[in-house]
Amino acid sequence: MAEPVKVYTVNGNSSGSASSLPDWLVRKRAAKGKGKRTTREHVEGTIDLIQHFEFPEASNRIRTTRDGHHVIATGVYKPQMRVWDLDELSLKFERHSDAENVDFLILSEDWTKTLHLQTDRTLEVHTQGGFHYRTRIPQFGRGLAYHFPSCDALVAATGHEVYRLNLDQGRFMIPLDMTSGDAGDVDGVNVANVNPAHQLFAFGLEGNGTVQFWDPRSRSRVGLLHLPTTTLMPSGADTSVSLSVTAIASRSDGLSYAIGTSTGHTLLYDIRSPRPYAMKDQGYGLPVKCVEWVEGGNRVAGDGMIISADKKVVKIWDRSSANTNFASVTPSADINHLHHVPGSGLLMLANEGIQMNAYYIPQLGPAPRWCSFLDNITEEMEDQTGRSVYEDFKFVERGELARLGLDHLVGTPALKPYMHGYFLSLKLYDAARVIANPYVHEEHREKVIKAKIEKLSESRIRIRKDAPKVNKALAEKIKRDQERELKKEERRKRHKGKDVATGEADAGQEKPNLLNDDRFKALFEDPAFEVDTSTREYGLLNPSSTDLKRRRTVVEEEEDESDKVSSDGLGNSSSHSGESSESEKSEDSSDAGELDQFDPRARHRSGASNPSREKFRPPRTASRVKQEQRPKLVAMHPRRDASHSPNVRGDITASFGDRKRQPGSTKPPKRLADKNEDRGVLEMSWMPTTTAKDDVPSDGEQGTKAKSKGKRKNVETFGAGMERGVDNSEQAGEHGRTGRSKRRSGVRSGSGNVFRNL
């Protein structure tokens, strides 16, 4: 079986979505946004290829210009003509008229010149500027046709005459009389057609079921075609209803004609034979509105496809197999007119609804040039699901059927067996579920509330899902190292003058590491491979990242204990154990241990030096070297009386308080050391050096070398950044240190009176 042809609705309501509500009510409810029907109609009509492709009430006729850039349509209410620009896919303008339109023709290649047949028996000529000219005909018109070589507009009307208006001369010509010869009585002419190949006129008559062919050169009838009345009209039909021709379409080859009848049949004729070689029944018994040949050469599907439409359905079929349909479209509103865009698979319908319909059939032909993107849109529309046959049924397995208490319905029409279960009516399933579980509504409510809460929590900050479960710190370190390497590589390339953009492609390719290597996947997933940061081995490998106390081995602890005993010279086990415990708790043996072993206050109180200070020589470490680079204290000397030293100001061994005392004063000044003597506070003085040479401190400590700076004129530097003298070059910055000594000049100053007036 062949795959069904897909029909895509690109404007208006989709086929098969007929609604019992009027179109104006559907629009009113859509504006309010209420009701399930409104939601369904909105979903079905969301795609609009051409914007504002509609009329206030209904549309009558629709055609495209020969250049393929515009669409012209007429409709009501109020009676008007609208033009859409296909390049912009939007409405170009609208123009109102005094009467409703019956039919119109496009005289030029674009939209600028049109001829309109109105219901008030008038013919109106419109130009680019608007309405141009109006004339009347004797009878009510039914159709229009135009003969380009002679500029004659043929008007099919009520009665037996076809009126001719010559647009070149601006006057009516002699009408064509359809009753000439043995044509019989003619109630009217429904349709007129001009063959594009040999310009032969064809007129479909009402009442006698005939088609007359006229030669435009001799303005006389050259042929008469009688339709098979016995075939088209059943024997039991009403004899008062006569057979009429309602639509005619001629093919560009000049030989084939498609004729639509008032009984809903479409007959295909060869101009050389009076018998039809194909016949198609629309199925509704309604008059055929439009018939068109699908033209387009190799671009369209097949050769000789016909489109026929009545008020209800549009059928596309092949002339060689009229019994089968290539495609069928049933719009939601009654059809008034049909137009096929030449060389494409796009159909446009004028109907009794507000929105005009446009359907795209990819298998019929490609999309027009002005909407070539339509193929991509239709691929997305394929995901839309249509109405299923079992939409109102619920599939239930046998076990669930027993839980619902409906197993006694097996074998009844209420259950439809299917595979390993049954199809059950959705209403019956809902009722049985509520009876079996009365709290189903509360459970459903809790589920809905939970879903809403989860939806709201999506915007909150969450943990990254790509983070590993095990060894997160290791994974972060690997990522940081990789980013650092990428930055270094970019800087290296930039330094060498290479284009960084060329390296972006290489950067996009992730280099192999522990994270993206499958061989080490278990390292970040299995807890058995988790790195223990509390072990001593981890601390030795990562001394800067560990935050735990340094653990000693048994041998190191024994050596420390022996050193303590030998240095202290005490055999007291209690003191030994106490000192050993303090050494274990220390974090740095070189810094903290020295402070523990030496206490200057104890020397001042006892008057004896600490033997541990002399024997204990801690190794030089980075912190020790940093401490040696600080300003050094002068050698400590005991406090002496001023009577023993008459010139204490020049004595470098005198303390700071002795040197500060006045030469002639016998009363010593109060010093902080005198006040705190009882508490054992030691007074320490230091003197800055006047040279930049290295000092050689006592106790074997090595001094640090000070970098000599360039000397300035009249300035002497000494000590740790101290200066003596005045540099004239820095007088400009002297105000920043001592403050301003005079009023500023050359600048605008604020007045107190001005601020008071604000």
Side-chain angles (χ1 to χ4, degrees), residues 386-425:
R387 182 180 176 88
S388 177
V389 180
Y390 296 100
E391 184 175 353
D392 297 331
F393 290 85
K394 174 71 176 179
F395 180 78
V396 182
E397 297 181 355
R398 186 179 294 271
E400 186 178 359
L401 194 67
R403 288 194 299 270
L404 295 175
L406 300 177
D407 50 353
H408 62 281
L409 297 178
V410 176
T412 61
L415 298 179
K416 298 181 180 181
Y418 182 77
M419 295 179 66
H420 60 285
Y422 302 90
F423 273 111
L424 179 65
S425 175

Short mmCIF file of all heavy atoms in Angstrom, two decimals, residues 386-425:
data_model
loop_
_atom_site.label_atom_id
_atom_site.label_comp_id
_atom_site.label_asym_id
_atom_site.label_seq_id
_atom_site.Cartn_x
_atom_site.Cartn_y
_atom_site.Cartn_z
N GLY A 386 -1.98 13.48 15.08
CA GLY A 386 -3.39 13.71 14.80
C GLY A 386 -4.29 12.95 15.77
O GLY A 386 -3.84 12.30 16.71
N ARG A 387 -5.55 13.04 15.53
CA ARG A 387 -6.54 12.38 16.38
C ARG A 387 -6.50 10.89 16.16
O ARG A 387 -6.58 10.41 15.03
CB ARG A 387 -7.93 12.93 16.10
CG ARG A 387 -9.01 12.33 16.99
CD ARG A 387 -10.36 12.92 16.64
NE ARG A 387 -11.42 12.30 17.41
CZ ARG A 387 -11.81 12.70 18.61
NH1 ARG A 387 -11.19 13.73 19.17
NH2 ARG A 387 -12.77 12.11 19.26
N SER A 388 -6.38 10.12 17.23
CA SER A 388 -6.31 8.67 17.15
C SER A 388 -7.71 8.06 17.23
O SER A 388 -8.65 8.66 17.75
CB SER A 388 -5.44 8.12 18.29
OG SER A 388 -5.43 6.71 18.25
N VAL A 389 -7.81 6.85 16.70
CA VAL A 389 -9.11 6.16 16.75
C VAL A 389 -9.47 5.81 18.18
O VAL A 389 -10.64 5.87 18.57
CB VAL A 389 -9.04 4.89 15.87
CG1 VAL A 389 -10.37 4.14 15.90
CG2 VAL A 389 -8.67 5.26 14.44
N TYR A 390 -8.46 5.46 19.00
CA TYR A 390 -8.71 5.06 20.38
C TYR A 390 -8.39 6.20 21.35
O TYR A 390 -7.87 5.97 22.44
CB TYR A 390 -7.85 3.84 20.72
CG TYR A 390 -8.21 2.61 19.92
CD1 TYR A 390 -7.45 2.24 18.81
CD2 TYR A 390 -9.31 1.83 20.25
CE1 TYR A 390 -7.78 1.13 18.06
CE2 TYR A 390 -9.65 0.71 19.51
CZ TYR A 390 -8.88 0.37 18.42
OH TYR A 390 -9.21 -0.73 17.68
N GLU A 391 -8.69 7.42 20.96
CA GLU A 391 -8.38 8.55 21.83
C GLU A 391 -9.25 8.56 23.08
O GLU A 391 -8.80 8.98 24.15
CB GLU A 391 -8.58 9.86 21.05
CG GLU A 391 -8.19 11.10 21.83
CD GLU A 391 -8.29 12.35 20.99
OE1 GLU A 391 -8.54 12.23 19.78
OE2 GLU A 391 -8.12 13.45 21.56
N ASP A 392 -10.49 8.09 22.98
CA ASP A 392 -11.41 8.08 24.12
C ASP A 392 -11.40 6.74 24.86
O ASP A 392 -12.33 6.45 25.63
CB ASP A 392 -12.83 8.38 23.65
CG ASP A 392 -12.94 9.77 23.06
OD1 ASP A 392 -12.15 10.64 23.47
OD2 ASP A 392 -13.79 9.98 22.17
N PHE A 393 -10.38 5.92 24.63
CA PHE A 393 -10.28 4.63 25.28
C PHE A 393 -8.97 4.54 26.06
O PHE A 393 -7.99 5.22 25.75
CB PHE A 393 -10.35 3.48 24.26
CG PHE A 393 -11.71 3.31 23.64
CD1 PHE A 393 -12.09 4.05 22.54
CD2 PHE A 393 -12.62 2.42 24.18
CE1 PHE A 393 -13.34 3.90 21.97
CE2 PHE A 393 -13.87 2.25 23.61
CZ PHE A 393 -14.24 3.00 22.51
N LYS A 394 -8.97 3.70 27.06
CA LYS A 394 -7.80 3.47 27.91
C LYS A 394 -7.40 2.01 27.81
O LYS A 394 -8.24 1.11 27.98
CB LYS A 394 -8.13 3.84 29.36
CG LYS A 394 -7.06 3.51 30.36
CD LYS A 394 -5.86 4.41 30.20
CE LYS A 394 -4.82 4.14 31.29
NZ LYS A 394 -3.63 4.99 31.15
N PHE A 395 -6.10 1.77 27.56
CA PHE A 395 -5.63 0.40 27.50
C PHE A 395 -5.35 -0.10 28.91
O PHE A 395 -4.61 0.53 29.68
CB PHE A 395 -4.35 0.31 26.65
CG PHE A 395 -3.81 -1.08 26.55
CD1 PHE A 395 -4.38 -2.00 25.68
CD2 PHE A 395 -2.72 -1.47 27.31
CE1 PHE A 395 -3.87 -3.29 25.59
CE2 PHE A 395 -2.21 -2.75 27.22
CZ PHE A 395 -2.79 -3.67 26.36
N VAL A 396 -5.95 -1.24 29.27
CA VAL A 396 -5.86 -1.79 30.62
C VAL A 396 -5.42 -3.24 30.52
O VAL A 396 -5.97 -4.01 29.71
CB VAL A 396 -7.21 -1.69 31.36
CG1 VAL A 396 -7.08 -2.23 32.78
CG2 VAL A 396 -7.70 -0.26 31.38
N GLU A 397 -4.42 -3.61 31.32
CA GLU A 397 -4.01 -5.01 31.37
C GLU A 397 -4.98 -5.82 32.23
O GLU A 397 -5.81 -5.27 32.95
CB GLU A 397 -2.59 -5.11 31.92
CG GLU A 397 -1.54 -4.42 31.04
CD GLU A 397 -0.15 -4.57 31.62
OE1 GLU A 397 -0.04 -5.12 32.74
OE2 GLU A 397 0.81 -4.15 30.96
N ARG A 398 -4.82 -7.13 32.16
CA ARG A 398 -5.74 -8.00 32.89
C ARG A 398 -5.59 -7.84 34.41
O ARG A 398 -6.56 -7.85 35.16
CB ARG A 398 -5.52 -9.46 32.48
CG ARG A 398 -6.52 -10.45 33.08
CD ARG A 398 -6.21 -11.86 32.60
NE ARG A 398 -6.42 -11.97 31.17
CZ ARG A 398 -7.60 -12.31 30.62
NH1 ARG A 398 -8.65 -12.56 31.39
NH2 ARG A 398 -7.72 -12.40 29.31
N GLY A 399 -4.35 -7.68 34.88
CA GLY A 399 -4.14 -7.49 36.32
C GLY A 399 -4.76 -6.20 36.83
O GLY A 399 -5.40 -6.16 37.89
N GLU A 400 -4.58 -5.11 36.09
CA GLU A 400 -5.19 -3.84 36.50
C GLU A 400 -6.70 -3.90 36.41
O GLU A 400 -7.40 -3.28 37.20
CB GLU A 400 -4.65 -2.72 35.61
CG GLU A 400 -5.10 -1.33 36.04
CD GLU A 400 -4.50 -0.25 35.18
OE1 GLU A 400 -3.72 -0.60 34.24
OE2 GLU A 400 -4.81 0.94 35.42
N LEU A 401 -7.20 -4.65 35.45
CA LEU A 401 -8.65 -4.81 35.33
C LEU A 401 -9.23 -5.51 36.55
O LEU A 401 -10.31 -5.15 37.04
CB LEU A 401 -8.97 -5.60 34.05
CG LEU A 401 -10.42 -5.60 33.58
CD1 LEU A 401 -10.82 -4.20 33.13
CD2 LEU A 401 -10.61 -6.59 32.44
N ALA A 402 -8.50 -6.48 37.10
CA ALA A 402 -8.97 -7.16 38.31
C ALA A 402 -8.90 -6.24 39.52
O ALA A 402 -9.77 -6.28 40.39
CB ALA A 402 -8.14 -8.42 38.54
N ARG A 403 -7.87 -5.40 39.60
CA ARG A 403 -7.79 -4.47 40.73
C ARG A 403 -8.92 -3.44 40.71
O ARG A 403 -9.37 -2.98 41.75
CB ARG A 403 -6.43 -3.76 40.70
CG ARG A 403 -5.27 -4.66 41.09
CD ARG A 403 -4.03 -3.83 41.37
NE ARG A 403 -3.61 -3.08 40.20
CZ ARG A 403 -2.76 -3.53 39.28
NH1 ARG A 403 -2.24 -4.76 39.39
NH2 ARG A 403 -2.41 -2.76 38.26
N LEU A 404 -9.36 -3.08 39.51
CA LEU A 404 -10.47 -2.13 39.41
C LEU A 404 -11.82 -2.79 39.62
O LEU A 404 -12.84 -2.08 39.70
CB LEU A 404 -10.44 -1.44 38.04
CG LEU A 404 -9.24 -0.54 37.75
CD1 LEU A 404 -9.30 -0.03 36.32
CD2 LEU A 404 -9.18 0.62 38.73
N GLY A 405 -11.86 -4.10 39.68
CA GLY A 405 -13.12 -4.80 39.86
C GLY A 405 -13.97 -4.87 38.61
O GLY A 405 -15.20 -4.95 38.70
N LEU A 406 -13.33 -4.86 37.47
CA LEU A 406 -14.06 -4.89 36.19
C LEU A 406 -13.77 -6.16 35.40
O LEU A 406 -14.04 -6.22 34.21
CB LEU A 406 -13.68 -3.67 35.34
CG LEU A 406 -13.96 -2.29 35.93
CD1 LEU A 406 -13.47 -1.21 35.00
CD2 LEU A 406 -15.46 -2.13 36.20
N ASP A 407 -13.22 -7.17 36.07
CA ASP A 407 -12.91 -8.40 35.34
C ASP A 407 -14.15 -9.17 34.91
O ASP A 407 -14.09 -10.04 34.05
CB ASP A 407 -12.02 -9.30 36.19
CG ASP A 407 -12.58 -9.49 37.60
OD1 ASP A 407 -13.58 -8.81 37.92
OD2 ASP A 407 -12.02 -10.29 38.36
N HIS A 408 -15.32 -8.83 35.52
CA HIS A 408 -16.54 -9.50 35.11
C HIS A 408 -17.06 -8.99 33.77
O HIS A 408 -18.01 -9.56 33.21
CB HIS A 408 -17.64 -9.28 36.17
CG HIS A 408 -18.01 -7.85 36.35
ND1 HIS A 408 -17.24 -6.97 37.08
CD2 HIS A 408 -19.07 -7.14 35.87
CE1 HIS A 408 -17.81 -5.77 37.07
NE2 HIS A 408 -18.92 -5.84 36.34
N LEU A 409 -16.43 -7.94 33.22
CA LEU A 409 -16.85 -7.41 31.93
C LEU A 409 -16.14 -8.07 30.76
O LEU A 409 -16.37 -7.69 29.61
CB LEU A 409 -16.59 -5.90 31.88
CG LEU A 409 -17.37 -5.04 32.88
CD1 LEU A 409 -16.98 -3.58 32.74
CD2 LEU A 409 -18.88 -5.20 32.66
N VAL A 410 -15.27 -9.03 31.06
CA VAL A 410 -14.55 -9.72 29.99
C VAL A 410 -15.56 -10.49 29.15
O VAL A 410 -16.38 -11.26 29.67
CB VAL A 410 -13.48 -10.66 30.57
CG1 VAL A 410 -12.80 -11.44 29.46
CG2 VAL A 410 -12.46 -9.86 31.36
N GLY A 411 -15.50 -10.28 27.84
CA GLY A 411 -16.43 -10.92 26.93
C GLY A 411 -17.61 -10.06 26.56
O GLY A 411 -18.40 -10.46 25.70
N THR A 412 -17.74 -8.92 27.18
CA THR A 412 -18.84 -8.01 26.88
C THR A 412 -18.35 -6.93 25.90
O THR A 412 -17.15 -6.71 25.75
CB THR A 412 -19.37 -7.35 28.16
OG1 THR A 412 -18.31 -6.59 28.76
CG2 THR A 412 -19.83 -8.43 29.14
N PRO A 413 -19.28 -6.22 25.25
CA PRO A 413 -18.86 -5.15 24.32
C PRO A 413 -18.15 -3.99 25.02
O PRO A 413 -17.55 -3.15 24.34
CB PRO A 413 -20.19 -4.69 23.70
CG PRO A 413 -21.11 -5.84 23.86
CD PRO A 413 -20.72 -6.49 25.15
N ALA A 414 -18.19 -3.93 26.35
CA ALA A 414 -17.54 -2.83 27.06
C ALA A 414 -16.02 -2.93 26.97
O ALA A 414 -15.33 -1.91 27.11
CB ALA A 414 -17.97 -2.81 28.52
N LEU A 415 -15.49 -4.13 26.76
CA LEU A 415 -14.05 -4.34 26.65
C LEU A 415 -13.72 -4.83 25.24
O LEU A 415 -14.36 -5.75 24.72
CB LEU A 415 -13.57 -5.36 27.68
CG LEU A 415 -13.75 -5.00 29.15
CD1 LEU A 415 -13.26 -6.12 30.04
CD2 LEU A 415 -13.03 -3.71 29.48
N LYS A 416 -12.70 -4.20 24.66
CA LYS A 416 -12.24 -4.59 23.33
C LYS A 416 -10.88 -5.25 23.46
O LYS A 416 -9.90 -4.58 23.84
CB LYS A 416 -12.15 -3.38 22.41
CG LYS A 416 -13.49 -2.70 22.18
CD LYS A 416 -13.34 -1.50 21.24
CE LYS A 416 -14.69 -0.83 21.01
NZ LYS A 416 -14.58 0.33 20.09
N PRO A 417 -10.78 -6.55 23.22
CA PRO A 417 -9.48 -7.23 23.39
C PRO A 417 -8.44 -6.68 22.42
O PRO A 417 -8.71 -6.45 21.25
CB PRO A 417 -9.81 -8.69 23.08
CG PRO A 417 -11.28 -8.79 23.05
CD PRO A 417 -11.83 -7.46 22.78
N TYR A 418 -7.25 -6.49 22.96
CA TYR A 418 -6.15 -6.01 22.14
C TYR A 418 -4.84 -6.46 22.78
O TYR A 418 -4.54 -6.10 23.93
CB TYR A 418 -6.18 -4.48 22.01
CG TYR A 418 -5.09 -3.93 21.12
CD1 TYR A 418 -5.19 -4.02 19.73
CD2 TYR A 418 -3.96 -3.33 21.67
CE1 TYR A 418 -4.20 -3.51 18.92
CE2 TYR A 418 -2.96 -2.82 20.85
CZ TYR A 418 -3.08 -2.92 19.48
OH TYR A 418 -2.10 -2.44 18.66
N MET A 419 -4.08 -7.29 22.06
CA MET A 419 -2.79 -7.79 22.52
C MET A 419 -2.94 -8.45 23.89
O MET A 419 -3.72 -9.40 24.04
CB MET A 419 -1.75 -6.66 22.53
CG MET A 419 -1.44 -6.11 21.13
SD MET A 419 -0.26 -4.77 21.13
CE MET A 419 1.20 -5.63 21.69
N HIS A 420 -2.22 -7.95 24.92
CA HIS A 420 -2.24 -8.60 26.22
C HIS A 420 -3.20 -7.91 27.19
O HIS A 420 -3.09 -8.09 28.41
CB HIS A 420 -0.84 -8.61 26.84
CG HIS A 420 -0.26 -7.24 27.03
ND1 HIS A 420 0.21 -6.48 25.99
CD2 HIS A 420 -0.09 -6.49 28.14
CE1 HIS A 420 0.65 -5.33 26.44
NE2 HIS A 420 0.48 -5.30 27.75
N GLY A 421 -4.13 -7.12 26.67
CA GLY A 421 -5.07 -6.41 27.54
C GLY A 421 -6.35 -6.08 26.81
O GLY A 421 -6.75 -6.76 25.85
N TYR A 422 -6.98 -5.00 27.26
CA TYR A 422 -8.26 -4.59 26.71
C TYR A 422 -8.30 -3.07 26.59
O TYR A 422 -7.64 -2.35 27.35
CB TYR A 422 -9.43 -5.05 27.60
CG TYR A 422 -9.48 -6.54 27.83
CD1 TYR A 422 -8.81 -7.13 28.90
CD2 TYR A 422 -10.19 -7.38 26.96
CE1 TYR A 422 -8.84 -8.50 29.11
CE2 TYR A 422 -10.24 -8.75 27.17
CZ TYR A 422 -9.56 -9.30 28.24
OH TYR A 422 -9.60 -10.66 28.44
N PHE A 423 -9.10 -2.61 25.63
CA PHE A 423 -9.43 -1.19 25.53
C PHE A 423 -10.72 -0.94 26.27
O PHE A 423 -11.76 -1.56 25.98
CB PHE A 423 -9.56 -0.76 24.07
CG PHE A 423 -8.25 -0.37 23.45
CD1 PHE A 423 -7.67 -1.15 22.45
CD2 PHE A 423 -7.60 0.78 23.85
CE1 PHE A 423 -6.47 -0.79 21.88
CE2 PHE A 423 -6.38 1.15 23.29
CZ PHE A 423 -5.82 0.36 22.30
N LEU A 424 -10.66 0.00 27.21
CA LEU A 424 -11.80 0.32 28.08
C LEU A 424 -12.17 1.78 27.87
O LEU A 424 -11.30 2.64 27.66
CB LEU A 424 -11.43 0.06 29.54
CG LEU A 424 -12.48 0.37 30.61
CD1 LEU A 424 -13.69 -0.55 30.45
CD2 LEU A 424 -11.88 0.24 31.99
N SER A 425 -13.46 2.06 27.94
CA SER A 425 -13.92 3.44 27.80
C SER A 425 -13.27 4.31 28.88
O SER A 425 -13.17 3.93 30.04
CB SER A 425 -15.44 3.51 27.91
OG SER A 425 -15.86 4.86 27.88
#
